[in-house]
Amino acid sequence: QGQLVESGGGLAQPGGSLRLSCVGSGPTLSSCAMRWYRQSPGKERELVAEINDFGDIFVKERFTISRVNAENTIYLQMSSLKAEDTAVYYCNAECGPNKYWGRGTQVTVSS
């Protein structure tokens, strides 16, 4: 059974940057539509970035999504961080009929 593991979260200052990683174990991520979501307390889960298996990309402002196939890894680069970016960030893979979720990584933006 496939697994996704996120890392790279932590505490960042406003205006700073963080890079999150999502490593796949099992699914070959280059064949999957990959998404990053985030969820803050009391709010619905929100899509922040997506890259499909054709290479089409959607990102919110200040975010960049990329994939390194040789590492079976998806990255989310976040810049000019704001307090409202504070959330748990989740990686999601849609690989044909199969969907996978990571457990999330906490990002806290605070001075």
Side-chain angles (χ1 to χ4, degrees), residues 1-18:
Q1 189 168 352
Q3 184 178 10
L4 301 177
V5 178
E6 303 98 335
S7 62
L11 177 63
Q13 293 195 342
S17 300
L18 279 176

Side-chain angles (χ1 to χ4, degrees), residues 1 3 7-8 13 22 28 48 56 59 66 71 86 92 97 108:
Q1 189 168 352
Q3 184 178 10
S7 62
Q13 293 195 342
C22 171
T28 301
V48 298
D56 300 321
V59 291
S66 60
E71 299 173 358
T86 295
N92 166 260
T108 302

Side-chain angles (χ1 to χ4, degrees), residues 8-44:
L11 177 63
Q13 293 195 342
S17 300
L18 279 176
R19 189 178 75 161
L20 307 183
S21 302
C22 171
V23 180
S25 176
T28 301
L29 302 187
S30 60
S31 302
C32 305
M34 299 299 304
R35 301 177 182 92
W36 284 98
Y37 289 85
R38 68 184 180 187
Q39 189 166 22
S40 306
K43 294 187 177 181
E44 293 188 356

Side-chain angles (χ1 to χ4, degrees), residues 35-39 45-50 76 88-92 101:
R35 301 177 182 92
W36 284 98
Y37 289 85
R38 68 184 180 187
Q39 189 166 22
R45 193 167 290 190
E46 175 189 21
L47 177 66
V48 298
E50 176 178 3
L76 181 69
V88 179
Y89 285 73
Y90 297 92
C91 179
N92 166 260
W101 285 92

